[in-house]
Amino acid sequence: MSIKTKWIIATTVIILIILGFIFYLNNKSTVDGNIRIGAIFILSGDAAGWGENAKKGFDLAVKDFKETYDIGVETIIEDSQGDPKTAISVFQKLITLDKVDGVVGPLFQAEVAAVASNIASANIPVITPSYAPIINRDNPRNPLMVWMDPSLEAYKIAEYVFDQGVRTVAVFGTHDSWENEVSDSFASRFKELGGIISTKELTQTDDTDVRVPIIKIINTKPEAVFLGTYYQFIHATKVLNEFGYEGKLYSIEVDSYLATEAKDYIEGLEFITPESYSNNFIEKFEREYGIKPGIPAGQAYDATILLLDLLRQEGPREKIIKTMENLESYEGVSGAIEWTKDNRTILPTAIFKIQDGEFIK
Amino acid sequence: MEYLVHLGILITIYAILAISLDLVVGYTGLLSVTHAAFFGVGAYTTAILATSFEVNFFFTVLVSIALTALVGLLIGLVLSRFNDDYFALASFGFNVIVYSIFLNWQSLTRGPLGIPGIDKPSLFGFHFNSNSEFLLLSLVFLVAIYYTSHFITSSSFGRVIRAIRDDEEALQVFGYRTTYFKLTVFVIGAGMAAVAGSLFASYITFIDPSSFTLFESVFILSIIILGGLSNHRGALLGAVILILLPEILRFVGFPTDIAAQMRQVVYGLLLVVLMLYRPQGLLGRYRL
């Protein structure tokens, strides 16, 4: 086959693909009366577990909404792989080809920041079970966050730790944007109160060996260690235990998975977390999937129900977005969500202690 | 159509990266895994100049090229001491170093929080705000890079770098200072990658270190291997295929519960089949 023939075949294939897209675009239509929503979750890669939990919460919310209101809901769920440019591709597909009425997601801070300017120009309501700093959002209320502002949470645990009489803390976190912000906020608040941060060690989220930073922490002889990490929680607690660390441990948003995997190393650990999901939701989730809901299933559920409720009001998009901008509170399965005038998301939190593998409030 | 235009923009950006890397890998035979670092330096230069100093995009591109070329020179001076596998390994290390700098130099780059609010380009009062306008701009840059690269590879310089790839020792016997030529092409490749970085930063309007990891370097390398080494049209074709393929798979009707995973499997299988059928790449003239 000559080069010219190959080029003709390749060009023909590409033109056919483009025509296929255009055909798909022109024939995508919604059944009258149905609401169509899209979801951008991480369904492959390192954070797929997180995305799968979100998807379960999303699917359950759609099911509940349909049963409550007898309104048809079409859903299109796309995988962003945790990559910002893929998140933009997926968002563009949802709004231009699938012509969704609203979007739930994305899940990572970097994805939210990348999609933010596209959300502003598309003028479509987006609610996300995630967090991104306000500076990374063109409109601080669209996307609307249903995830607790991590710096506020970190301030609270810092105040709690200081109130316990602890004066020297070492901080361990990772370079993940959320964890970095948590670690920084804890350290700055603890220092403001008059405490001492003996050291702050940040690792990569995928490091398999955390012995060096842990040794550094132990060498500073802190009274307590604050673990501002989900990614490295298990590694860090294991290594702290291996090196005979006997001081206090504090952390943030420890879930049942972490508690189970690290159960031999975290007796007595205290952590702050938004109040657990409502019992009704937990029971419903277990009936549906046979397992307890993991983070962020509840947040995804709330984001979805809130979005569907707003879309059910059938106003023009501008009105829905205006409603989102003026929203002050919402009673969700993840708690009583409040949005402050300076656009921070607050949920009631509680301090839990791990004893014999159980979470004690 | 915005979706297709968006994909078109990504294709042009990655085509620029592929063409620039092909100069180093395909034409000179230097297996470099540092390209995402140069991509990132270009992007961060534009982002910082645009957000902190409100510098016009086109001027930031010039500064990005200069700065990234300088970084390429420094890295190239070290890498020039290595050959073959050691070169690849060392370039791997440099990618990791540069990524760590993006992540840890928080006062400059904001670390994992990234830099948001990067303006779209404007020129003499005309703003490239829509995706279609941005696509046209990026196509202009792509054409410029393509023809610059074509000029380089068609020249006597191009003949020398191909000779280095084929038999460096023989060339040294004839008195050629091959280190100089390798360093030059490495710096040129870095400078071109910076253009892609500037376009990327301005288009996405937000950058963070996660876009410039080692995985990204491997992805760019995959583009030129798939498209075919030592062939600019191969680099273009590789970019088209690797950007469009995952998107096309979204339209294949897998069950929702396993769609994401199946797409990854099919994507991987297609790449394996393509390489089995054409190990030199679709339009390649040279194998690594």
Side-chain angles (χ1 to χ4, degrees):
Chain A
M1 195 186 293
S2 69
I3 296 285
K4 190 178 172 186
T5 311
K6 285 179 189 172
W7 273 107
I8 292 169
I9 293 171
T11 309
T12 309
V13 167
I14 290 167
I15 290 171
L16 283 173
I17 290 168
I18 292 170
L19 286 173
F21 274 137
I22 295 169
F23 175 78
Y24 180 91
L25 170 73
N26 289 332
N27 285 280
K28 196 80 177 174
S29 60
T30 314
V31 173
D32 279 348
N34 275 9
I35 295 174
R36 176 179 286 171
I37 58 171
I40 305 175
F41 295 145
I42 305 165
L43 301 175
S44 59
D46 292 340
W50 193 263
E52 286 293 339
N53 285 343
K55 181 177 173 295
K56 286 185 166 68
F58 173 85
D59 287 341
L60 187 57
V62 169
K63 183 182 172 199
D64 284 354
F65 182 85
K66 282 187 198 175
E67 285 171 2
T68 306
Y69 294 105
D70 197 26
I71 296 175
V73 177
E74 295 172 46
T75 61
I76 298 118
I77 301 171
E78 292 290 354
D79 176 23
S80 63
Q81 301 173 335
D83 175 43
K85 64 181 182 297
T86 307
I88 296 177
S89 300
V90 159
F91 182 78
Q92 290 285 358
K93 174 189 175 283
L94 287 172
I95 62 168
T96 59
L97 295 191
D98 299 311
K99 294 188 172 37
V100 297
D101 300 309
V103 175
V104 175
L107 295 182
F108 272 179
Q109 186 270 133
E111 296 177 302
V112 174
V115 172
S117 63
N118 294 262
I119 294 171
S121 56
N123 204 34
I124 187 169
V126 176
I127 302 182
T128 173
S130 175
Y131 167 77
I134 292 167
I135 192 172
N136 287 3
R137 305 175 236 160
D138 288 29
N139 179 345
R141 289 296 188 100
N142 189 26
L144 185 69
M145 313 270 142
V146 300
W147 193 278
M148 171 103 186
D149 189 311
S151 28
L152 296 179
E153 217 175 339
Y155 291 161
K156 284 190 179 183
I157 184 75
E159 288 159 8
Y160 175 79
V161 171
F162 192 83
D163 288 344
Q164 298 294 300
V166 174
R167 293 293 177 264
T168 315
V169 175
V171 176
F172 179 83
T174 74
H175 288 294
D176 167 75
S177 54
W178 186 89
E179 297 188 5
N180 192 53
E181 192 164 343
V182 160
S183 303
D184 277 350
S185 299
F186 178 94
S188 70
R189 184 68 185 131
F190 195 74
K191 282 193 280 192
E192 272 173 21
L193 293 167
I196 296 169
I197 299 295
S198 62
T199 186
K200 189 176 82 167
E201 301 293 330
L202 300 178
T203 70
Q204 305 291 352
T205 57
D206 55 359
D207 276 350
T208 53
D209 186 353
V210 297
R211 280 176 288 185
V212 169
I214 295 296
I215 288 171
K216 284 185 187 175
I217 283 172
I218 291 173
N219 284 346
T220 64
K221 296 183 173 38
E223 291 172 65
V225 174
F226 173 69
L227 300 165
T229 175
Y230 186 95
Y231 283 106
Q232 292 292 0
F233 183 89
I234 299 166
H235 282 139
T237 51
K238 181 170 184 264
V239 174
L240 278 166
N241 182 257
E242 273 174 17
F243 285 117
Y245 174 74
E246 290 177 345
K248 295 182 182 181
L249 285 175
Y250 297 94
S251 188
I252 185 167
E253 299 197 15
V254 177
D255 65 5
S256 52
Y257 166 73
L258 291 183
T260 307
E261 293 297 316
K263 66 180 187 309
D264 294 331
Y265 322 121
I266 55 172
E267 183 67 17
L269 180 144
E270 293 176 272
F271 64 96
I272 188 169
T273 190
E275 294 274 8
S276 53
Y277 300 143
S278 68
N279 289 333
N280 183 38
F281 173 72
I282 293 172
E283 284 164 14
K284 207 164 25 181
F285 194 96
E286 278 187 290
R287 267 200 309 275
E288 183 72 18
Y289 300 112
I291 52 171
K292 281 189 165 33
I295 298 173
Q299 287 84 354
Y301 183 96
D302 286 338
T304 309
I305 291 288
L306 182 53
L307 179 66
L308 288 170
D309 270 341
L310 289 170
L311 291 170
R312 182 174 60 87
Q313 293 166 17
E314 280 187 70
R317 283 182 182 180
E318 291 78 13
K319 190 179 167 212
I320 294 174
I321 293 169
K322 199 73 187 162
T323 306
M324 284 162 58
E325 288 170 0
N326 294 322
L327 214 51
E328 289 181 356
S329 64
Y330 175 77
E331 192 67 43
V333 302
S334 54
I337 307 169
E338 281 181 46
W339 292 277
T340 63
K341 284 196 174 10
D342 61 350
N343 302 307
R344 289 174 177 271
T345 307
I346 300 177
L347 278 103
T349 54
I351 305 285
F352 289 83
K353 188 171 188 171
I354 296 178
Q355 271 181 352
D356 300 322
E358 297 291 323
F359 293 176
I360 311 295
K361 201 168 174 180
Chain B
M1 287 307 287
E2 283 295 303
Y3 177 56
L4 291 178
V5 171
H6 162 75
L7 293 180
I9 293 170
L10 289 185
I11 288 170
T12 55
I13 290 172
Y14 279 89
I16 291 171
L17 284 167
I19 290 170
S20 57
L21 183 62
D22 197 31
L23 278 177
V24 178
V25 178
Y27 284 92
T28 319
L30 301 170
L31 182 53
S32 168
V33 201
T34 330
H35 231 55
F38 302 137
F39 183 33
V41 171
Y44 269 100
T45 305
T46 288
I48 291 165
L49 288 175
T51 56
S52 301
F53 304 101
E54 295 181 1
V55 175
N56 182 274
F57 168 78
F58 293 92
F59 189 71
T60 70
V61 173
L62 293 173
V63 176
S64 291
I65 292 170
L67 184 61
T68 310
L70 179 63
V71 170
L73 177 66
L74 295 171
I75 292 176
L77 281 168
V78 177
L79 289 179
S80 62
R81 295 173 181 279
F82 303 101
N83 287 315
D84 303 324
D85 298 342
Y86 298 102
F87 182 96
L89 214 55
S91 67
F92 174 118
F94 273 112
N95 200 131
V96 173
I97 289 170
V98 174
Y99 169 76
S100 297
I101 291 171
F102 293 152
L103 201 57
N104 289 286
W105 195 351
Q106 297 197 24
S107 59
L108 184 68
T109 66
R110 296 187 74 230
L113 294 179
I115 300 177
I118 304 163
D119 284 334
K120 290 268 168 71
S122 65
L123 187 66
F124 303 126
F126 178 78
H127 298 274
F128 294 85
N129 285 334
S130 76
N131 282 357
S132 308
E133 289 158 357
F134 198 96
L135 177 60
L136 284 173
L137 176 68
S138 51
L139 278 171
V140 166
F141 276 105
L142 173 60
V143 167
I145 296 285
Y146 181 94
Y147 281 104
T148 303
S149 193
H150 180 72
F151 173 77
I152 290 170
T153 54
S154 314
S155 66
S156 57
F157 181 88
R159 284 193 290 279
V160 172
I161 59 175
R162 280 197 292 279
I164 291 172
R165 178 195 68 199
D166 295 337
D167 194 338
E168 185 176 356
E169 276 183 24
L171 210 61
Q172 285 170 339
V173 164
F174 281 106
Y176 279 88
R177 289 166 58 197
T178 56
T179 304
Y180 160 78
F181 285 94
K182 289 196 291 188
L183 196 53
T184 304
V185 80
F186 195 76
V187 169
I188 292 171
M192 288 179 175
V195 173
S198 296
L199 286 169
F200 181 83
S202 192
Y203 174 60
I204 304 289
T205 71
F206 166 82
I207 56 166
D208 76 323
S210 69
S211 298
F212 311 111
T213 62
L214 191 63
F215 178 77
E216 198 69 9
S217 284
V218 171
F219 178 70
I220 302 165
L221 194 58
S222 306
I223 290 176
I224 60 171
I225 291 174
L226 178 74
L229 292 170
S230 192
N231 188 319
H232 300 316
R233 282 178 287 183
L236 285 176
L237 185 62
V240 169
I241 292 173
L242 284 191
I243 294 294
L244 286 186
L245 188 56
E247 299 299 325
I248 290 168
L249 289 173
R250 291 190 197 283
F251 300 92
V252 177
F254 292 120
T256 319
D257 286 347
I258 57 167
Q261 293 81 357
M262 283 308 300
R263 282 177 204 143
Q264 296 279 318
V265 169
V266 171
Y267 179 77
L269 274 173
L270 283 171
L271 288 181
V272 169
V273 165
L274 275 165
M275 293 318 298
L276 278 172
Y277 175 67
R278 290 279 297 183
Q280 70 272 39
L282 294 168
L283 299 176
R285 299 173 193 152
Y286 162 72
R287 273 195 221 191
L288 274 174

Coordinates of all heavy atoms in Angstrom, one line a residue, chain A residues 115-169:
Chain A
V115 N -11.6 23.4 35.6 CA -13.0 23.4 35.0 C -13.7 24.7 35.3 O -14.6 25.1 34.6 CB -13.8 22.2 35.5 CG1 -15.2 22.3 35.0 CG2 -13.2 20.9 34.9
A116 N -13.2 25.4 36.4 CA -13.9 26.6 36.9 C -14.2 27.7 35.8 O -15.3 28.2 35.7 CB -13.1 27.2 38.0
S117 N -13.2 28.0 35.0 CA -13.5 29.1 34.0 C -14.5 28.6 32.9 O -15.2 29.4 32.4 CB -12.2 29.5 33.4 OG -11.6 28.5 32.7
N118 N -14.4 27.3 32.7 CA -15.4 26.7 31.7 C -16.8 26.7 32.3 O -17.8 27.0 31.5 CB -15.0 25.3 31.4 CG -13.7 25.2 30.6 OD1 -13.7 25.0 29.4 ND2 -12.6 25.2 31.4
I119 N -16.9 26.5 33.6 CA -18.2 26.6 34.2 C -18.8 28.0 34.1 O -20.0 28.2 33.8 CB -18.1 26.2 35.7 CG1 -17.7 24.7 35.9 CG2 -19.4 26.5 36.5 CD1 -17.4 24.3 37.3
A120 N -17.9 29.0 34.3 CA -18.4 30.4 34.3 C -18.9 30.7 32.9 O -19.9 31.3 32.7 CB -17.2 31.3 34.7
S121 N -18.2 30.3 31.9 CA -18.6 30.7 30.5 C -19.8 29.8 30.0 O -20.6 30.3 29.2 CB -17.4 30.6 29.5 OG -16.9 29.3 29.6
A122 N -19.9 28.6 30.6 CA -21.0 27.7 30.2 C -22.3 28.1 30.9 O -23.4 27.7 30.4 CB -20.7 26.3 30.4
N123 N -22.2 28.8 32.0 CA -23.4 29.2 32.7 C -24.3 28.0 33.1 O -25.5 28.1 32.8 CB -24.2 30.3 31.9 CG -25.0 31.2 32.8 OD1 -24.6 31.5 33.9 ND2 -26.2 31.5 32.3
I124 N -23.7 27.0 33.7 CA -24.4 25.8 34.0 C -24.2 25.5 35.5 O -23.1 25.7 36.0 CB -24.0 24.6 33.1 CG1 -24.8 23.4 33.4 CG2 -22.5 24.3 33.4 CD1 -24.6 22.3 32.3
P125 N -25.3 25.1 36.2 CA -25.1 24.9 37.6 C -24.2 23.6 37.9 O -24.4 22.6 37.3 CB -26.5 24.7 38.2 CG -27.3 24.3 37.0 CD -26.7 24.9 35.8
V126 N -23.2 23.8 38.7 CA -22.3 22.6 39.1 C -22.2 22.6 40.6 O -22.0 23.6 41.2 CB -20.9 22.8 38.5 CG1 -20.0 21.7 38.9 CG2 -21.0 22.9 36.9
I127 N -22.4 21.4 41.1 CA -22.2 21.2 42.6 C -21.2 20.1 42.8 O -21.3 19.1 42.1 CB -23.6 20.9 43.3 CG1 -24.6 22.0 43.0 CG2 -23.3 20.7 44.8 CD1 -25.9 21.8 43.7
T128 N -20.3 20.3 43.6 CA -19.2 19.3 43.7 C -19.0 18.8 45.2 O -18.9 19.7 46.1 CB -17.9 19.8 43.1 OG1 -16.8 18.9 43.4 CG2 -17.5 21.2 43.7
P129 N -18.8 17.5 45.4 CA -18.5 17.0 46.7 C -17.0 17.0 46.9 O -16.3 16.1 47.1 CB -19.0 15.5 46.6 CG -18.8 15.2 45.1 CD -19.0 16.4 44.3
S130 N -16.5 18.3 46.8 CA -15.1 18.4 46.8 C -14.8 19.8 47.3 O -15.7 20.5 47.8 CB -14.5 18.4 45.3 OG -13.2 18.6 45.3
Y131 N -13.5 20.2 47.3 CA -13.1 21.5 47.8 C -12.1 22.1 46.9 O -11.2 21.3 46.4 CB -12.5 21.4 49.2 CG -11.8 22.6 49.7 CD1 -12.5 23.7 50.1 CD2 -10.4 22.7 49.6 CE1 -11.9 24.9 50.5 CE2 -9.8 23.9 50.0 CZ -10.5 24.9 50.4 OH -9.9 26.1 50.8
A132 N -12.1 23.4 46.7 CA -11.1 24.1 46.0 C -11.0 25.4 46.6 O -12.0 26.0 47.0 CB -11.4 24.2 44.5
P133 N -9.8 26.0 46.8 CA -9.6 27.3 47.4 C -10.5 28.3 46.6 O -10.6 28.2 45.4 CB -8.1 27.6 47.3 CG -7.5 26.3 47.2 CD -8.5 25.4 46.5
I134 N -11.0 29.3 47.3 CA -11.8 30.3 46.6 C -11.1 31.0 45.5 O -11.7 31.3 44.4 CB -12.3 31.3 47.7 CG1 -13.3 30.7 48.6 CG2 -13.0 32.5 47.0 CD1 -13.6 31.5 49.9
I135 N -9.8 31.2 45.7 CA -9.1 31.9 44.6 C -9.1 31.1 43.3 O -8.9 31.6 42.2 CB -7.6 32.1 45.1 CG1 -6.9 33.1 44.2 CG2 -6.8 30.8 45.2 CD1 -5.5 33.5 44.7
N136 N -9.3 29.8 43.4 CA -9.3 28.9 42.2 C -10.6 28.8 41.6 O -10.8 28.0 40.7 CB -8.8 27.5 42.6 CG -7.2 27.5 42.8 OD1 -6.6 28.5 42.8 ND2 -6.7 26.3 43.1
R137 N -11.6 29.6 42.0 CA -13.0 29.5 41.5 C -13.4 30.9 40.9 O -13.4 31.8 41.7 CB -14.0 29.1 42.5 CG -13.7 27.8 43.2 CD -14.8 27.6 44.3 NE -14.2 27.4 45.6 CZ -14.8 27.6 46.8 NH1 -16.1 28.0 46.8 NH2 -14.2 27.4 47.9
D138 N -13.7 30.9 39.6 CA -14.1 32.2 39.1 C -15.4 32.7 39.8 O -15.4 33.9 40.2 CB -14.5 32.0 37.6 CG -13.2 31.8 36.7 OD1 -12.2 31.3 37.3 OD2 -13.2 32.2 35.6
N139 N -16.3 31.9 40.0 CA -17.5 32.2 40.8 C -17.5 31.3 42.0 O -17.6 30.1 41.9 CB -18.8 31.9 40.0 CG -20.1 32.2 40.8 OD1 -20.0 32.4 42.0 ND2 -21.2 32.3 40.1
P140 N -17.3 31.9 43.2 CA -17.1 31.1 44.4 C -18.3 30.2 44.7 O -18.2 29.3 45.5 CB -16.9 32.1 45.5 CG -16.8 33.4 44.9 CD -17.3 33.4 43.5
R141 N -19.4 30.5 44.1 CA -20.6 29.7 44.4 C -21.0 28.8 43.2 O -22.0 28.1 43.3 CB -21.8 30.6 44.8 CG -21.7 31.3 46.1 CD -21.7 30.3 47.3 NE -21.7 30.9 48.5 CZ -22.9 31.0 49.3 NH1 -24.0 30.5 48.8 NH2 -22.8 31.7 50.4
N142 N -20.3 28.8 42.2 CA -20.5 27.9 41.0 C -19.2 27.5 40.4 O -18.7 28.3 39.6 CB -21.5 28.5 40.0 CG -21.9 27.5 39.0 OD1 -22.0 26.3 39.2 ND2 -22.3 28.0 37.8
P143 N -18.6 26.4 40.8 CA -19.2 25.3 41.5 C -19.5 25.5 42.9 O -18.7 26.1 43.6 CB -18.2 24.1 41.3 CG -16.9 24.8 41.2 CD -17.2 26.1 40.5
L144 N -20.6 25.0 43.4 CA -20.9 25.1 44.8 C -20.3 23.9 45.5 O -20.4 22.7 45.1 CB -22.4 25.0 45.0 CG -23.0 25.2 46.4 CD1 -22.8 26.7 46.9 CD2 -24.5 24.9 46.4
M145 N -19.6 24.1 46.6 CA -18.9 23.1 47.4 C -19.8 22.5 48.5 O -20.4 23.3 49.2 CB -17.6 23.6 48.0 CG -16.7 24.4 47.1 SD -15.6 23.4 46.3 CE -15.6 24.3 44.7
V146 N -19.9 21.2 48.6 CA -20.5 20.7 49.8 C -19.5 20.0 50.7 O -19.9 19.2 51.6 CB -21.7 19.7 49.4 CG1 -22.7 20.4 48.6 CG2 -21.2 18.5 48.7
W147 N -18.2 20.3 50.5 CA -17.2 19.7 51.3 C -16.7 20.8 52.3 O -16.5 22.0 51.9 CB -16.0 19.3 50.4 CG -15.0 18.4 51.2 CD1 -14.0 18.8 51.9 CD2 -15.0 17.0 51.2 NE1 -13.3 17.8 52.4 CE2 -13.9 16.6 52.0 CE3 -15.8 16.0 50.6 CZ2 -13.6 15.3 52.2 CZ3 -15.5 14.7 50.8 CH2 -14.4 14.3 51.6
M148 N -16.5 20.4 53.5 CA -16.0 21.3 54.5 C -14.7 22.0 54.1 O -13.8 21.3 53.6 CB -15.8 20.5 55.8 CG -15.2 21.3 57.0 SD -16.4 21.8 58.2 CE -15.4 22.8 59.3
D149 N -14.6 23.3 54.4 CA -13.4 24.0 54.2 C -12.3 23.4 55.1 O -12.4 23.5 56.3 CB -13.6 25.5 54.5 CG -12.4 26.4 54.1 OD1 -11.3 26.0 54.4 OD2 -12.7 27.4 53.5
P150 N -11.2 22.9 54.5 CA -10.2 22.1 55.3 C -9.5 23.0 56.3 O -9.1 22.6 57.4 CB -9.3 21.5 54.3 CG -9.4 22.4 53.1 CD -10.8 22.9 53.1
S151 N -9.3 24.3 56.0 CA -8.5 25.1 56.9 C -9.3 25.4 58.2 O -8.8 25.4 59.3 CB -8.1 26.5 56.3 OG -8.9 26.9 55.3
L152 N -10.7 25.5 58.0 CA -11.5 25.7 59.2 C -11.4 24.5 60.1 O -11.4 24.5 61.3 CB -12.9 26.0 58.8 CG -13.2 27.3 58.1 CD1 -14.6 27.5 57.7 CD2 -12.7 28.5 58.9
E153 N -11.5 23.3 59.5 CA -11.4 22.0 60.2 C -10.1 21.9 60.9 O -10.0 21.5 62.1 CB -11.6 20.9 59.2 CG -12.4 19.7 59.7 CD -12.6 18.7 58.6 OE1 -12.5 19.0 57.4 OE2 -12.9 17.5 59.0
A154 N -9.0 22.3 60.2 CA -7.7 22.2 60.8 C -7.5 23.1 61.9 O -6.9 22.8 62.9 CB -6.6 22.4 59.7
Y155 N -8.1 24.3 61.8 CA -8.0 25.3 63.0 C -8.6 24.7 64.2 O -8.1 24.8 65.3 CB -8.8 26.6 62.6 CG -8.1 27.4 61.6 CD1 -8.9 28.4 60.9 CD2 -6.8 27.3 61.2 CE1 -8.3 29.2 59.9 CE2 -6.2 28.1 60.2 CZ -7.0 29.0 59.6 OH -6.5 29.8 58.6
K156 N -9.8 24.0 64.0 CA -10.5 23.4 65.1 C -9.7 22.4 65.8 O -9.7 22.3 67.1 CB -11.9 22.9 64.7 CG -12.9 23.9 64.4 CD -14.3 23.2 64.1 CE -15.3 24.3 63.8 NZ -16.6 23.7 63.7
I157 N -9.1 21.5 65.1 CA -8.3 20.4 65.7 C -7.1 21.0 66.4 O -6.7 20.5 67.4 CB -8.0 19.3 64.7 CG1 -7.3 18.1 65.4 CG2 -7.2 19.7 63.6 CD1 -8.1 17.2 66.3
A158 N -6.5 22.0 65.8 CA -5.3 22.7 66.4 C -5.7 23.3 67.7 O -5.0 23.2 68.7 CB -4.8 23.8 65.5
E159 N -6.9 23.9 67.8 CA -7.4 24.5 69.1 C -7.7 23.4 70.1 O -7.3 23.5 71.3 CB -8.7 25.3 68.8 CG -8.4 26.6 68.1 CD -9.6 27.2 67.4 OE1 -10.7 26.7 67.5 OE2 -9.4 28.2 66.6
Y160 N -8.2 22.3 69.6 CA -8.5 21.1 70.5 C -7.2 20.6 71.1 O -7.1 20.4 72.3 CB -9.2 20.1 69.8 CG -9.5 18.8 70.6 CD1 -10.5 18.7 71.5 CD2 -8.6 17.7 70.4 CE1 -10.6 17.6 72.3 CE2 -8.8 16.5 71.1 CZ -9.8 16.5 72.1 OH -10.0 15.4 72.8
V161 N -6.2 20.4 70.2 CA -4.9 19.9 70.7 C -4.3 20.8 71.7 O -3.8 20.3 72.7 CB -4.0 19.6 69.5 CG1 -2.6 19.3 69.9 CG2 -4.5 18.6 68.5
F162 N -4.3 22.1 71.4 CA -3.8 23.1 72.4 C -4.5 23.0 73.7 O -3.9 23.1 74.8 CB -3.8 24.5 71.7 CG -3.0 25.5 72.5 CD1 -1.7 25.6 72.3 CD2 -3.6 26.3 73.4 CE1 -0.9 26.5 73.0 CE2 -2.9 27.2 74.1 CZ -1.5 27.4 73.9
D163 N -5.9 22.9 73.6 CA -6.7 22.9 74.8 C -6.4 21.6 75.6 O -6.6 21.6 76.8 CB -8.2 22.9 74.5 CG -8.6 24.2 74.0 OD1 -7.8 25.2 74.2 OD2 -9.7 24.4 73.4
Q164 N -5.9 20.6 75.0 CA -5.5 19.3 75.7 C -4.2 19.5 76.5 O -3.8 18.6 77.2 CB -5.3 18.2 74.7 CG -6.6 17.8 73.9 CD -7.6 17.2 74.9 OE1 -7.4 16.2 75.5 NE2 -8.8 17.9 74.9
G165 N -3.6 20.6 76.4 CA -2.3 20.9 77.1 C -1.1 20.5 76.3 O 0.0 20.6 76.8
V166 N -1.3 20.1 75.1 CA -0.1 19.8 74.2 C 0.5 21.1 73.7 O -0.2 22.0 73.3 CB -0.5 18.9 73.0 CG1 0.6 18.7 72.1 CG2 -1.1 17.6 73.5
R167 N 1.9 21.2 73.8 CA 2.5 22.4 73.4 C 3.5 22.2 72.3 O 3.9 23.2 71.6 CB 3.2 23.1 74.6 CG 2.3 23.6 75.7 CD 1.4 24.8 75.1 NE 0.5 25.2 76.1 CZ -0.8 24.8 76.1 NH1 -1.3 23.9 75.3 NH2 -1.6 25.3 77.1
T168 N 3.9 21.0 72.0 CA 4.8 20.7 70.9 C 4.3 19.6 70.0 O 4.0 18.5 70.4 CB 6.2 20.3 71.4 OG1 6.6 21.1 72.5 CG2 7.2 20.3 70.3
V169 N 4.1 20.0 68.7 CA 3.5 19.1 67.8 C 4.4 19.0 66.5 O 4.9 20.0 66.1 CB 2.1 19.5 67.4 CG1 1.5 18.6 66.3 CG2 1.1 19.5 68.6

